[in-house]
Amino acid sequence: MIKNNIKESEVTDYKHYLNRRAFIGGGLAITAGVMFSKITNATTINNYLKNKNYGKGLEPHSYEEITGYNNFYEFGTGKRDPEKNAKNFKTKPWNVTVAGECKKTGTFLLEDIIKNQQLEERIYRLRCVEAWSMVIPWLGVSVASVLKKFEPNSKAKYVKFTTLLDKEQMPGQKRPILDWLYVEGLTIKEAMNPLSFFAVGLYGKELPNQNGAPIRLVVPWKYGFKSIKSIVKIEFSETRPINSWQQQAPNEYGFYANVNPKVDHPRWSQKRERIIGRGGFFSPEKRDTELFNGYQAQVAHLYKNLDLAKNF
Ligand SMILES: Nc1nc2c(c(=O)[nH]1)N[C@H]1C(S)=C(S)[C@@H](COP(=O)(O)O)O[C@H]1N2
Ligand SMILES: [Mo]
C-alpha cells in the first residue's frame, strides 16, 4: 500500500542503507549534542554505535514505510496525515523542562541535555495497540543515561512525559481528539530499564517530524502509544500520572500497556498483529504477538506481583 506511489528504486530498505553507509565510510564520531547544532534533517550521520544486543533477527521496514505510516494525532488521525502536516514543524531550538522530585530542575536546551553522549542504533519492533507492527532502526540514547543527570530523589516513583502544546503548529490540537496535552508515564523502574530509549533519529538520520522530532520515547515492550513524541517536559513524581489514552478511555487503555497476546483490547484481539506493508490488502501478513513484545527476559521481573489482566 505504501509503496504504490514510490518507484521500487527509491525505496530505502535497510540492507541498501547499510551498504551505502559502508561505502561512505569514515567520518567523525557524532555525539547527540553535536548532531543538533550542526546536522540538518537530510544529512546522514556517519558514526554511531551499532548496538548488536538490540534487534537480533529483526528486519527493519523501509524508510518510506516508517515515515509514511504514523500515529501522531497532533498532526491528524490519518496514517498519512503526520507526514504531510508536520513538514514545517519547528524543532530547533528545542527546550525540555525538567521538574518534580529531582535535584536538577529547570529548562534546558535539548542539545545541552544530551551533549557528549554517543548515539546508539537500536532496532526495535513497534507494536501498536491497533494490532499492527513495524520494525524501526532507531538512533538515540538510553532513557536512564539522560534521567540520571537530573538526580532523581527517593520520592521519584514515576516519570511523566508531556508533548508540546501548540495549536498553530499542530492542527490536530484544534480538534477535541484527545484532551490535549498528550501525556505519558512510566514507573521509575520501567524508565531506568536498559531497554527504554530516547530516539533522536532513525535510519542514520535525524528524526523526521512525523516520527516525533526532535526527541521521543521508545518503550519496546509496551504498545506504541506509550512512546510519546516531541517531548517538552519530564517530571519526576511520587504519584502515578494519568496518561492521555487512559483518561480518554480507561476501560480500553491502562497505565501499563504491556504488549500481551492474552489480554485483548475491547475492540481488537491482541493475539496476532498485521505486519505493515507485507502481504496484499486482502491477505496481510501476520505474526503471533509475543508477551512483552519478545522482551520477557529483560522486563518480566518488573511485573512479578501484578495481575496483568487487571493491570493492563
Ligand atoms: N504525542 C504523541 N505521541 C504519540 C502518538 C500521538 O498521537 N501523539 N501516537 C502514539 C502511537 S498510538 C503510536 S503507535 C506511536 C507511533 O509511532 P510512529 O508513528 O513513529 O511509528 O507513537 C505514539 N506516540
Ligand atoms: Mo498505537
Side-chain angles (χ1 to χ4, degrees):
M1 225 164 86
I2 287 156
K3 286 184 187 170
N4 271 354
N5 303 319
I6 306 168
K7 278 192 225 123
E8 205 54 44
S9 60
E10 290 171 26
V11 172
T12 313
D13 69 33
Y14 193 67
K15 275 188 207 108
H16 284 116
Y17 153 72
L18 287 183
N19 288 341
R20 212 162 47 211
R21 265 183 42 80
F23 182 72
I24 295 166
L28 289 170
I30 294 292
T31 59
V34 168
M35 184 180 102
F36 279 100
S37 46
K38 299 227 172 87
I39 292 185
T40 64
N41 227 318
T43 314
T44 299
I45 298 157
N46 271 326
N47 249 326
Y48 50 79
L49 217 74
K50 259 189 88 58
N51 198 326
K52 296 230 164 64
N53 293 326
Y54 302 97
K56 256 182 225 132
L58 295 184
E59 215 181 292
H61 278 67
S62 73
Y63 185 80
E64 289 73 13
E65 286 168 325
I66 292 167
T67 59
Y69 189 96
N70 302 98
N71 272 342
F72 198 171
Y73 280 14
E74 286 85 339
F75 292 104
T77 51
K79 303 295 184 217
R80 307 223 62 157
D81 289 348
E83 181 183 32
K84 221 172 39 215
N85 297 337
K87 266 205 181 82
N88 299 317
F89 180 48
K90 197 169 170 271
T91 60
K92 283 176 192 173
W94 191 266
N95 285 314
V96 178
T97 298
V98 180
E101 302 295 343
C102 67
K103 197 164 174 188
K104 295 186 172 148
T105 57
T107 295
F108 308 90
L109 212 53
L110 175 59
E111 61 198 74
D112 290 336
I113 292 179
I114 56 181
K115 80 174 159 218
N116 302 328
Q117 277 193 252
Q118 175 70 61
L119 286 173
E120 192 187 310
E121 183 183 68
R122 294 189 185 186
I123 301 172
Y124 283 150
R125 172 181 290 111
L126 182 141
R127 171 53 162 86
C128 180
V129 73
E130 298 163 310
W132 52 264
S133 69
M134 62 165 92
V135 176
I136 303 170
W138 298 110
L139 222 51
V141 294
S142 73
V143 170
S145 68
V146 174
L147 295 191
K148 278 178 191 155
K149 293 179 185 173
F150 304 109
E151 301 182 33
N153 63 40
S154 61
K155 284 189 190 158
K157 299 278 191 317
Y158 296 91
V159 193
K160 176 179 161 184
F161 303 91
T162 310
T163 296
L164 178 71
L165 181 69
D166 184 343
K167 287 192 172 60
E168 291 320 308
Q169 288 205 81
M170 297 173 142
Q173 290 178 338
K174 290 181 177 160
R175 294 164 40 212
I177 308 163
L178 285 170
D179 185 8
W180 309 107
L181 322 149
Y182 195 105
V183 169
E184 259 309 336
L186 296 172
T187 67
I188 191 87
K189 283 189 181 148
E190 291 174 329
M192 294 298 186
N193 185 279
L195 284 174
S196 296
F197 203 55
F198 278 130
V200 296
L202 62 82
Y203 256 97
K205 291 181 199 286
E206 214 168 300
L207 203 59
N209 292 341
Q210 60 268 36
N211 293 87
I215 182 165
R216 61 91 58 86
L217 188 65
V218 185
V219 198
W221 71 95
K222 293 177 181 278
Y223 292 120
F225 69 87
K226 292 298 279 188
S227 293
I228 181 172
K229 298 176 170 183
S230 305
I231 297 166
V232 291
K233 191 171 183 192
I234 299 172
E235 193 174 352
F236 298 94
S237 67
E238 198 168 11
T239 53
R240 192 160 103 178
I242 294 177
N243 48 313
S244 293
W245 286 103
Q246 188 184 11
Q247 182 189 37
Q248 174 89 352
N251 60 321
E252 297 190 21
Y253 310 100
F255 173 78
Y256 287 98
N258 290 318
V259 175
N260 190 339
K262 289 199 185 123
V263 180
D264 287 338
H265 178 279
R267 287 184 280 146
W268 303 286
S269 162
Q270 299 295 8
K271 287 182 185 63
R272 311 251 298 152
E273 64 206 44
R274 183 167 57 86
I275 304 172
I276 293 302
R278 305 291 178 271
F281 183 73
F282 295 103
S283 57
E285 198 179 311
K286 294 193 174 180
R287 65 187 297 281
D288 290 340
T289 289
E290 297 172 67
L291 180 61
F292 301 122
N293 208 10
Y295 298 103
Q296 293 98 313
Q298 292 93 325
V299 299
H301 68 274
L302 295 169
Y303 312 103
K304 243 187 347 226
N305 302 315
L306 272 191
D307 177 349
L308 294 174
K310 286 202 185 101
N311 298 280
F312 56 85

